[in-house]
């Protein structure tokens, strides 16, 4: 039996108006018609280049940026929220249930606050505890889960390494008892050895507390280590989505294949066969017609330039947005 859905979106779009009185305003569509289902208790990954809309999607699901079009719902079995229409008491309650782990552990923590005060701040702001003793008990409980001891709570952030600071950030995100966590490139700023430690911590916490993660990353090896399902984004749209093992075994979209081909090999004699993508990702304010990827795709046809491919299911749980995916699967590349 499949898990119930915690987050569900349908044609979700986020558009920003940029410019001022001097320059003509332009519409920047950072997220364009995203439909995803995130089951409760899952580790859902989103990958793509910088500028693909990953972070904006995560912030939209946290109600940190306004949703321009489409629908997004949160349903944890106790309450159901329409994320495009949250305010007042409902928004305050949603803040307890959905939290963010920031990318940079050095910039995310106030240098003027002790670790205890940093972790306790959400409890005090949201009014989740009745007194200081209750707050301290909750802080110690969460700190222990994140492998922080009592001595750490009395120190300031400058006394810690990057990995320790990220554990502090994780503890701050968990202290309000959320159900949904957005981890936005949360290990990108860390050394490789520390990345593994933080990823293992996130997985153990997820299993222990029954949390649901939206894990945003540009590193496919990190996604492979943690995620149950992966959505690949390009220029605000999902071009491929599948269970992690299935995606890594049999990627269908040319962009996904290019990303996989760029993963470094541990074999020093393996020169690899990286597929070079020509050019840069187009500007979100001046998007190409048809398939958004056609300006960089080696298999582009006139149909690709004129008509945007729908996201279609090619097998159970696996969807792809490409006019030629069936031909490419059979090895036809001309």
């Amino acid at each position: 039996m499949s898990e119930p859905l915690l987050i569900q979106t349908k044609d979700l779009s986020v558009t920003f108006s940029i410019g001022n009185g001097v320059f003509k305003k332009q519409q920047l569509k950072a997220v364009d018609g995203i439909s995803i289902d995130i089951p409760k208790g899952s580790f859902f990954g989103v990958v793509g280049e910088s500028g693909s809309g990953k972070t904006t999607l995560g912030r939209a699901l946290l109600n940190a940026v306004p949703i321009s079009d489409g629908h997004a719902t949160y349903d944890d079995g106790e309450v159901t929220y329409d994320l495009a229409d949250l305010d007042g008491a409902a928004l305050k309650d949603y803040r307890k249930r959905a939290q963010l782990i920031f990318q940079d552990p050095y910039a995310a923590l106030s240098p003027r606050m002790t670790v205890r005060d940093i972790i306790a701040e959400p409890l005090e702001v949201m009014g989740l505890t009745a007194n200081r003793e209750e707050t301290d008990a909750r802080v110690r409980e969460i700190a222990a889960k994140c492998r922080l001891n009592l001595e750490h709570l009395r120190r300031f952030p400058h006394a810690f390494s990057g990995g320790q600071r990220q554990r502090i950030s994780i503890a701050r995100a968990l202290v309000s008892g959320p159900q949904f966590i957005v981890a936005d490139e949360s290990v990108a700023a860390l050394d490789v050895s520390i990345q593994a430690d933080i990823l293992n911590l996130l997985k153990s916490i997820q299993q222990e507390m029954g949390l649901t993660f939206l894990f945003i990353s540009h590193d496919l090896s990190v996604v492979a280590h943690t995620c149950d399902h992966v959505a690949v984004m390009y220029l605000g749209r999902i071009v491929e989505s599948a269970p992690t093992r299935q995606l890594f075994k049999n990627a269908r979209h040319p962009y996904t294949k290019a990303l996989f081909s760029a993963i470094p090999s541990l074999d020093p004699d393996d020169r690899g066969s990286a597929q070079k993508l020509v050019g840069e990702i187009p500007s979100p304010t001046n998007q190409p017609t048809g398939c958004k990827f056609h300006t960089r795709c080696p298999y582009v046809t006139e149909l690709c330039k004129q008509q945007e491919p729908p996201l279609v299911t090619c097998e159970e749980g696996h969807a792809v947005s490409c006019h030629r995916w069936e031909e490419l699967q059979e090895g036809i590349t001309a």
Side-chain angles (χ1 to χ4, degrees):
M1 182 177 178
S2 60
E3 290 289 336
L5 299 179
L6 182 73
I7 297 287
Q8 188 172 23
T9 74
K10 179 66 174 177
D11 297 327
L12 175 68
S13 296
V14 177
T15 304
F16 301 103
S17 294
I18 58 175
N20 51 36
V22 178
F23 299 98
K24 182 180 178 181
K25 283 193 174 182
Q26 295 178 300
Q27 297 299 305
L28 189 157
K29 186 162 280 191
V31 174
D32 185 7
I34 296 292
S35 298
I36 57 173
D37 296 332
I38 304 180
K40 193 172 184 179
S42 68
F43 221 107
F44 192 98
V46 178
V47 299
E49 293 173 285
S50 296
S52 62
K54 308 185 301 295
T55 294
T56 304
L57 173 62
R59 292 179 180 273
L61 296 181
L62 291 173
N63 204 257
V65 296
I67 295 171
S68 306
D69 294 295
H71 303 280
T73 58
Y74 168 94
D75 183 1
D76 64 8
E78 296 181 2
V79 296
T80 302
Y81 288 128
D82 180 353
L83 302 184
D85 188 29
L86 271 184
D87 56 15
L91 179 58
K92 185 177 180 180
D93 181 66
Y94 185 61
R95 291 280 181 258
K96 304 172 188 176
R97 301 170 185 270
Q99 286 288 318
L100 172 67
I101 300 173
F102 292 94
Q103 174 178 349
D104 187 354
Y106 292 89
L109 306 177
S110 172
R112 295 181 176 87
M113 298 173 68
T114 64
V115 171
R116 180 266 172 202
D117 291 340
I118 289 171
I119 299 174
E121 187 175 24
L123 297 175
E124 295 166 348
V125 170
M126 297 177 186
L128 297 178
T129 50
N131 51 55
R132 185 178 178 88
E133 290 73 21
E134 190 176 333
T135 299
D136 286 340
R138 178 62 177 166
V139 168
R140 289 193 295 269
E141 177 189 355
I142 291 298
K145 290 182 185 295
C146 297
R147 304 172 194 165
L148 298 167
N149 58 42
L150 293 179
E151 177 60 28
H152 290 153
L153 299 179
R154 292 190 283 267
R155 298 179 186 174
F156 289 87
H158 72 265
F160 297 93
S161 66
Q164 290 172 319
R165 292 188 195 200
Q166 196 61 292
R167 290 204 293 273
I168 296 169
S169 296
I170 294 169
R172 179 177 59 184
L174 296 177
V175 75
S176 64
Q179 293 293 312
F180 180 52
I181 299 285
V182 175
D184 186 5
E185 301 274 14
S186 55
V187 297
L190 305 176
D191 293 339
V192 174
S193 59
I194 305 301
Q195 286 185 9
D197 181 61
I198 296 298
L199 291 173
N200 290 333
L201 174 63
L202 292 177
K203 286 295 288 185
S204 65
I205 287 174
Q206 180 222 8
Q207 294 167 3
E208 180 181 351
M209 301 179 68
L211 302 178
T212 304
F213 275 81
L214 178 71
F215 189 82
I216 298 169
S217 181
H218 64 271
D219 190 334
L220 287 164
S221 59
V222 168
V223 169
H225 181 74
T226 56
C227 297
D228 311 312
H229 193 101
V230 181
V232 182
M233 287 189 68
Y234 184 82
L235 207 60
R237 296 188 66 85
I238 290 178
V239 296
E240 189 162 9
S241 177
T244 305
R245 189 180 296 274
Q246 191 170 319
L247 185 71
F248 275 71
K249 182 180 179 181
N250 191 17
R252 303 294 180 89
H253 197 280
Y255 179 63
T256 310
K257 293 181 179 181
L259 292 179
F260 284 153
S261 72
I263 299 176
S265 172
L266 294 176
D267 183 356
D269 297 323
D270 182 11
R271 296 185 178 273
S273 56
Q275 177 185 329
K276 184 178 179 180
L277 293 178
V278 179
E280 300 292 332
I281 187 170
S283 169
T285 61
N286 186 26
Q287 297 190 17
T289 58
C291 176
K292 307 302 182 188
F293 186 60
H294 87 255
T295 58
R296 304 171 71 191
C297 181
Y299 312 116
V300 61
T301 65
E302 283 302 316
L303 176 62
C304 303
K305 297 177 182 180
Q306 297 170 9
Q307 184 177 325
E308 185 170 354
L311 188 68
V312 297
T313 300
C314 53
E315 56 185 300
E316 185 178 358
H318 194 157
V320 62
S321 174
C322 177
H323 289 300
R324 305 190 66 194
W325 71 265
E326 290 179 289
E327 299 174 64
L328 299 177
Q329 188 69 13
E330 297 170 358
I332 300 174
T333 60

